[in-house]
Amino acid sequence: MFIVTRKMTVKEGYAEQVANNFNPPSVLLEQDGFVDIKILVKQVRRGEEEVLILITWESEQHWKNWEKSDAHIAQHRKKRNEPKPDYLINFEVARYELKGVKKAVQAN
């Protein structure tokens, strides 16, 4: 498994909006090798907020195929000339190879 993360730090009050923006388009859900997407919002009391997106793929090659796909390129092309939102403080992308998962043991 291969996981791509997108971590966004935003001004207070914008985390829910950013999280809603990452509801995946159906084309992503239909992409070969796509497993799931998790949208996490860090709970904070005051100040900057954080949204973490975890996109899981069957393999790095499946993710690369998505990155090179016409559908993905078209999505980015539409946003190319849009200015960065003023509420966005920081944006980071990282890639990870999943090495293990532990699951709960169910009592009988």
Side-chain angles (χ1 to χ4, degrees), residues 2 7 29 35-36 39 46 49 51 65-66 69 82 91 99 102:
F2 187 76
K7 183 170 84 170
L29 300 177
V35 176
D36 66 16
I39 304 167
R46 295 220 164 207
E49 298 175 341
V51 179
N65 293 343
W66 163 248
S69 72
E82 293 180 13
F91 183 85
K99 293 294 186 177
K102 302 282 184 186

Side-chain angles (χ1 to χ4, degrees), residues 57-82:
W57 296 92
E58 290 179 13
S59 70
E60 183 176 8
Q61 188 59 52
H62 283 101
W63 168 73
K64 286 179 179 180
N65 293 343
W66 163 248
E67 288 286 304
K68 294 185 284 186
S69 72
D70 292 339
H72 185 254
I73 291 168
Q75 285 178 343
H76 284 275
R77 196 171 282 146
K78 286 187 341 189
K79 296 180 181 181
R80 184 178 295 161
N81 295 323
E82 293 180 13

Side-chain angles (χ1 to χ4, degrees), residues 15-77:
E16 289 299 323
Q17 176 184 332
V18 170
N20 289 336
N21 289 344
F22 272 86
N23 284 324
S26 61
V27 67
L28 175 64
L29 300 177
E30 298 167 1
Q31 183 68 26
D32 185 41
F34 171 79
V35 176
D36 66 16
I37 184 168
K38 294 177 179 72
I39 304 167
L40 295 81
V41 175
K42 185 176 181 179
Q43 296 179 346
V44 295
R45 294 180 188 258
R46 295 220 164 207
E48 299 174 353
E49 298 175 341
E50 187 176 286
V51 179
L52 181 63
I53 310 298
L54 306 172
I55 305 169
T56 306
W57 296 92
E58 290 179 13
S59 70
E60 183 176 8
Q61 188 59 52
H62 283 101
W63 168 73
K64 286 179 179 180
N65 293 343
W66 163 248
E67 288 286 304
K68 294 185 284 186
S69 72
D70 292 339
H72 185 254
I73 291 168
Q75 285 178 343
H76 284 275
R77 196 171 282 146

